[in-house]
Amino acid sequence: KQEVTQIPAALSVPEGENLVLNCSFTDSAIYNLQWFRQDPGKGLTSLLLIQSSQREQTSGRLNASLDKSSGRSTLYIAASQPGDSATYLCALLGGSQGNLIFGKGTKLSVKP
Amino acid sequence: DAMVIQNPRYQVTQFGKPVTLSCSQTLNHNVMYWYQQKSSQAPKLLFHYYDKDFNNEADTPDNFQSRRPNTSFCFLDIRSPGLGDAAMYLCATSRGPPRTSGRVNEQFFGPGTRLTVL
């Protein structure tokens, strides 16, 4: 059964810092990996999708990588801003279950 | 803009009183999903439709049902809500089909409905 872990659970950084959020998973038989952002009390916004054949995707200040052999993905946020404050969730589309399996998320706070 | 819409955004019901949550989409996607997210927890898939084909997760309680009358709409029915069913309910869509790689299975979420059970 696929398990997804995100470390740290919470992170606080000063504005302008570059930061890395981590996601690890136990089953490398995945179709896709998606990173989402969730603001308090809101739905999920898709940030990046990495297909199983890809190693990374970039969108603006965000870069996500995927290493299936080690069961890891990272989300890199460059030059963080207070507006980046949110919970970031990693989710895998798994081979055996065929649905998204989520981590619990990393709650990011960027201080002005 | 193409989007996923959920109504209502906030729903209050009484213990045991049936409630229906609504989701609609203008993306013309084949797959629609319902997730339950409790406070500080990961979203958990309840069921999904691929076109008219209903797929229930093994551990979804019988208290939860779903209907998809057409491509655009999907409903979540909670027959007898208990206090433990208070949560955020998230609807999502993807082009599909499920169990394939690629952007066809990128999921797009609505804003959610927060359910309170008194």
Side-chain angles (χ1 to χ4, degrees):
Chain A
K1 181 182 174 184
Q2 180 73 272
E3 292 184 5
V4 183
T5 303
Q6 290 188 248
I7 294 174
L11 180 65
S12 181
V13 300
E15 182 177 4
E17 267 202 15
N18 303 325
L19 58 100
V20 175
L21 307 181
N22 296 295
C23 172
S24 61
F25 48 94
T26 55
D27 185 352
S28 63
I30 64 172
Y31 294 122
N32 293 335
L33 185 146
Q34 242 178 303
W35 280 94
F36 293 91
R37 168 185 173 137
Q38 187 172 33
D39 292 287
K42 301 288 180 64
L44 277 64
T45 301
S46 180
L47 297 173
L48 289 164
L49 179 144
I50 309 177
Q51 299 176 43
S52 60
S53 59
Q54 298 174 329
R55 293 192 65 85
E56 66 176 339
Q57 283 289 313
T58 298
S59 175
R61 293 182 294 110
L62 305 180
N63 175 275
S65 68
L66 173 63
D67 183 346
K68 288 197 301 179
S69 61
S70 66
R72 293 180 189 276
S73 175
T74 60
L75 178 67
Y76 175 82
I77 302 177
S80 59
Q81 302 170 358
D84 295 330
S85 299
T87 296
Y88 291 81
L89 293 145
C90 160
L92 305 179
L93 187 64
S96 58
Q97 290 139 305
N99 56 275
L100 276 180
I101 307 295
F102 283 84
K104 290 187 176 182
T106 293
K107 186 174 182 179
L108 173 66
S109 176
V110 181
K111 305 293 187 186
Chain B
D1 285 343
M3 57 198 313
V4 182
I5 303 160
Q6 289 189 245
N7 286 305
R9 295 291 312 280
Y10 302 91
Q11 176 74 56
V12 180
T13 191
Q14 292 179 331
F15 183 95
K17 184 175 181 180
V19 66
T20 294
L21 309 183
S22 169
C23 177
S24 64
Q25 54 126 344
T26 60
L27 296 160
N28 202 32
H29 282 174
N30 297 310
V31 193
M32 294 187 77
Y33 307 82
W34 279 105
Y35 290 84
Q36 179 192 63
Q37 186 181 25
K38 295 188 177 180
S39 181
S40 301
Q41 294 188 21
K44 179 178 177 298
L45 183 67
L46 297 173
F47 24 60
H48 74 274
Y49 275 95
Y50 176 42
D51 289 334
K52 295 183 179 181
D53 182 22
F54 177 71
N55 298 271
N56 198 32
E57 294 302 298
D59 55 356
T60 298
D62 293 339
N63 198 26
F64 292 86
Q65 305 283 320
S66 185
R67 296 170 283 135
R68 189 178 186 186
N70 54 53
T71 300
S72 300
F73 283 86
C74 194
F75 300 99
L76 170 62
D77 300 308
I78 309 177
R79 291 192 296 184
S80 182
L83 298 179
D85 296 328
M88 174 76 88
Y89 289 87
L90 298 164
C91 175
T93 73
S94 66
R95 275 190 286 143
R99 297 187 177 83
T100 56
S101 180
R103 303 207 72 86
V104 292
N105 276 313
E106 182 173 9
Q107 292 194 18
F108 296 89
F109 282 75
T113 294
R114 180 160 302 278
L115 177 68
T116 300
V117 182
L118 302 177

Tab-separated table of all heavy atoms in Angstrom, chain B residues 27-33 50-51 93-98 100 102-108:
chain	number	residue	atom	x	y	z
B	27	LEU	N	-15.263	21.849	-17.431
B	27	LEU	CA	-14.058	21.380	-18.111
B	27	LEU	C	-14.347	20.250	-19.093
B	27	LEU	O	-13.470	19.846	-19.845
B	27	LEU	CB	-13.041	20.892	-17.062
B	27	LEU	CG	-12.530	21.980	-16.106
B	27	LEU	CD1	-11.945	21.352	-14.843
B	27	LEU	CD2	-11.509	22.835	-16.804
B	28	ASN	N	-15.573	19.712	-19.016
B	28	ASN	CA	-15.971	18.581	-19.854
B	28	ASN	C	-15.076	17.358	-19.617
B	28	ASN	O	-14.768	16.600	-20.550
B	28	ASN	CB	-15.967	18.950	-21.340
B	28	ASN	CG	-16.868	18.019	-22.158
B	28	ASN	OD1	-17.874	17.538	-21.648
B	28	ASN	ND2	-16.480	17.751	-23.388
B	29	HIS	N	-14.670	17.184	-18.350
B	29	HIS	CA	-13.823	16.045	-17.992
B	29	HIS	C	-14.649	14.794	-17.764
B	29	HIS	O	-15.803	14.854	-17.318
B	29	HIS	CB	-13.019	16.375	-16.719
B	29	HIS	CG	-11.850	17.244	-16.977
B	29	HIS	ND1	-11.069	17.756	-15.967
B	29	HIS	CD2	-11.309	17.698	-18.133
B	29	HIS	CE1	-10.092	18.473	-16.501
B	29	HIS	NE2	-10.223	18.459	-17.806
B	30	ASN	N	-14.007	13.649	-18.057
B	30	ASN	CA	-14.715	12.378	-17.949
B	30	ASN	C	-14.796	11.869	-16.516
B	30	ASN	O	-15.703	11.105	-16.183
B	30	ASN	CB	-14.005	11.314	-18.791
B	30	ASN	CG	-14.009	11.674	-20.263
B	30	ASN	OD1	-15.038	11.998	-20.824
B	30	ASN	ND2	-12.848	11.618	-20.883
B	31	VAL	N	-13.822	12.230	-15.688
B	31	VAL	CA	-13.735	11.657	-14.352
B	31	VAL	C	-14.056	12.726	-13.312
B	31	VAL	O	-13.559	13.854	-13.402
B	31	VAL	CB	-12.331	11.077	-14.069
B	31	VAL	CG1	-12.356	10.219	-12.812
B	31	VAL	CG2	-11.832	10.258	-15.254
B	32	MET	N	-14.898	12.348	-12.353
B	32	MET	CA	-15.193	13.234	-11.225
B	32	MET	C	-14.967	12.458	-9.936
B	32	MET	O	-15.337	11.285	-9.836
B	32	MET	CB	-16.619	13.768	-11.301
B	32	MET	CG	-16.834	14.685	-12.500
B	32	MET	SD	-18.446	15.500	-12.535
B	32	MET	CE	-18.193	16.798	-11.310
B	33	TYR	N	-14.371	13.134	-8.955
B	33	TYR	CA	-13.963	12.509	-7.700
B	33	TYR	C	-14.573	13.260	-6.513
B	33	TYR	O	-14.748	14.477	-6.558
B	33	TYR	CB	-12.443	12.603	-7.516
B	33	TYR	CG	-11.590	12.103	-8.659
B	33	TYR	CD1	-11.340	12.913	-9.770
B	33	TYR	CD2	-10.986	10.851	-8.619
B	33	TYR	CE1	-10.532	12.480	-10.806
B	33	TYR	CE2	-10.176	10.404	-9.645
B	33	TYR	CZ	-9.944	11.218	-10.734
B	33	TYR	OH	-9.135	10.785	-11.758
B	50	TYR	N	-15.987	7.417	-13.627
B	50	TYR	CA	-15.381	7.553	-14.950
B	50	TYR	C	-16.539	7.438	-15.934
B	50	TYR	O	-17.060	6.352	-16.148
B	50	TYR	CB	-14.329	6.489	-15.193
B	50	TYR	CG	-13.726	6.523	-16.578
B	50	TYR	CD1	-13.399	7.724	-17.183
B	50	TYR	CD2	-13.490	5.342	-17.270
B	50	TYR	CE1	-12.851	7.754	-18.448
B	50	TYR	CE2	-12.936	5.364	-18.537
B	50	TYR	CZ	-12.618	6.576	-19.131
B	50	TYR	OH	-12.073	6.602	-20.387
B	51	ASP	N	-16.927	8.567	-16.501
B	51	ASP	CA	-18.196	8.660	-17.229
B	51	ASP	C	-19.307	8.197	-16.276
B	51	ASP	O	-19.482	8.777	-15.221
B	51	ASP	CB	-18.146	7.837	-18.517
B	51	ASP	CG	-17.245	8.467	-19.538
B	51	ASP	OD1	-17.061	9.695	-19.498
B	51	ASP	OD2	-16.704	7.723	-20.390
B	93	THR	N	-11.847	16.873	-10.754
B	93	THR	CA	-12.083	16.273	-12.069
B	93	THR	C	-10.760	16.014	-12.771
B	93	THR	O	-9.739	16.637	-12.460
B	93	THR	CB	-12.932	17.188	-12.970
B	93	THR	OG1	-12.131	18.302	-13.402
B	93	THR	CG2	-14.163	17.731	-12.261
B	94	SER	N	-10.789	15.087	-13.723
B	94	SER	CA	-9.664	14.880	-14.630
B	94	SER	C	-10.207	14.340	-15.943
B	94	SER	O	-11.319	13.807	-15.989
B	94	SER	CB	-8.628	13.915	-14.043
B	94	SER	OG	-9.156	12.610	-13.919
B	95	ARG	N	-9.431	14.485	-16.980
B	95	ARG	CA	-9.895	13.964	-18.267
B	95	ARG	C	-9.943	12.450	-18.266
B	95	ARG	O	-10.860	11.845	-18.820
B	95	ARG	CB	-8.995	14.458	-19.399
B	95	ARG	CG	-9.374	15.823	-19.942
B	95	ARG	CD	-8.602	16.145	-21.196
B	95	ARG	NE	-7.221	16.487	-20.914
B	95	ARG	CZ	-6.194	16.151	-21.682
B	95	ARG	NH1	-6.383	15.454	-22.776
B	95	ARG	NH2	-4.970	16.519	-21.354
B	96	GLY	N	-8.934	11.815	-17.671
B	96	GLY	CA	-8.878	10.368	-17.618
B	96	GLY	C	-8.487	9.766	-18.934
B	96	GLY	O	-8.168	10.485	-19.871
B	97	PRO	N	-8.512	8.427	-19.090
B	97	PRO	CA	-9.029	7.498	-18.086
B	97	PRO	C	-8.065	7.297	-16.919
B	97	PRO	O	-6.893	7.590	-17.046
B	97	PRO	CB	-9.173	6.188	-18.872
B	97	PRO	CG	-8.125	6.281	-19.923
B	97	PRO	CD	-8.026	7.731	-20.298
B	98	PRO	N	-8.590	6.799	-15.791
B	98	PRO	CA	-7.729	6.565	-14.628
B	98	PRO	C	-6.673	5.497	-14.928
B	98	PRO	O	-6.751	4.776	-15.910
B	98	PRO	CB	-8.708	6.079	-13.547
B	98	PRO	CG	-10.042	6.551	-13.996
B	98	PRO	CD	-9.982	6.548	-15.496
B	100	THR	N	-3.605	5.834	-15.852
B	100	THR	CA	-2.675	6.103	-16.944
B	100	THR	C	-1.827	7.303	-16.570
B	100	THR	O	-2.245	8.155	-15.779
B	100	THR	CB	-3.412	6.399	-18.264
B	100	THR	OG1	-4.320	7.486	-18.046
B	100	THR	CG2	-4.166	5.200	-18.762
B	102	GLY	N	0.364	10.809	-17.363
B	102	GLY	CA	0.258	11.963	-18.241
B	102	GLY	C	-0.703	13.013	-17.729
B	102	GLY	O	-1.386	12.843	-16.718
B	103	ARG	N	-0.765	14.101	-18.465
B	103	ARG	CA	-1.578	15.238	-18.051
B	103	ARG	C	-3.065	14.914	-18.108
B	103	ARG	O	-3.868	15.628	-17.508
B	103	ARG	CB	-1.245	16.456	-18.905
B	103	ARG	CG	0.223	16.866	-18.868
B	103	ARG	CD	0.411	18.328	-19.137
B	103	ARG	NE	-0.026	19.141	-18.016
B	103	ARG	CZ	0.743	19.446	-16.972
B	103	ARG	NH1	1.967	18.997	-16.907
B	103	ARG	NH2	0.279	20.201	-16.007
B	104	VAL	N	-3.434	13.845	-18.789
B	104	VAL	CA	-4.861	13.480	-18.815
B	104	VAL	C	-5.387	13.202	-17.419
B	104	VAL	O	-6.580	13.294	-17.168
B	104	VAL	CB	-5.130	12.251	-19.711
B	104	VAL	CG1	-4.894	12.578	-21.149
B	104	VAL	CG2	-4.322	11.050	-19.275
B	105	ASN	N	-4.479	12.846	-16.507
B	105	ASN	CA	-4.915	12.554	-15.155
B	105	ASN	C	-4.503	13.607	-14.148
B	105	ASN	O	-4.470	13.350	-12.935
B	105	ASN	CB	-4.461	11.156	-14.733
B	105	ASN	CG	-5.431	10.103	-15.221
B	105	ASN	OD1	-6.631	10.255	-15.070
B	105	ASN	ND2	-4.919	9.052	-15.825
B	106	GLU	N	-4.207	14.800	-14.642
B	106	GLU	CA	-4.023	15.917	-13.710
B	106	GLU	C	-5.387	16.240	-13.117
B	106	GLU	O	-6.370	16.401	-13.849
B	106	GLU	CB	-3.464	17.143	-14.426
B	106	GLU	CG	-3.197	18.321	-13.493
B	106	GLU	CD	-2.486	19.465	-14.181
B	106	GLU	OE1	-2.337	19.429	-15.420
B	106	GLU	OE2	-2.071	20.407	-13.470
B	107	GLN	N	-5.459	16.329	-11.792
B	107	GLN	CA	-6.735	16.569	-11.131
B	107	GLN	C	-6.883	18.049	-10.784
B	107	GLN	O	-5.942	18.684	-10.315
B	107	GLN	CB	-6.868	15.710	-9.881
B	107	GLN	CG	-6.994	14.229	-10.218
B	107	GLN	CD	-7.453	13.377	-9.065
B	107	GLN	OE1	-8.005	13.852	-8.074
B	107	GLN	NE2	-7.227	12.074	-9.176
B	108	PHE	N	-8.098	18.548	-11.013
B	108	PHE	CA	-8.434	19.937	-10.738
B	108	PHE	C	-9.540	19.954	-9.690
B	108	PHE	O	-10.559	19.280	-9.852
B	108	PHE	CB	-8.894	20.640	-12.025
B	108	PHE	CG	-7.820	20.714	-13.059
B	108	PHE	CD1	-7.661	19.683	-13.987
B	108	PHE	CD2	-6.952	21.785	-13.109
B	108	PHE	CE1	-6.661	19.723	-14.933
B	108	PHE	CE2	-5.948	21.843	-14.059
B	108	PHE	CZ	-5.803	20.813	-14.981
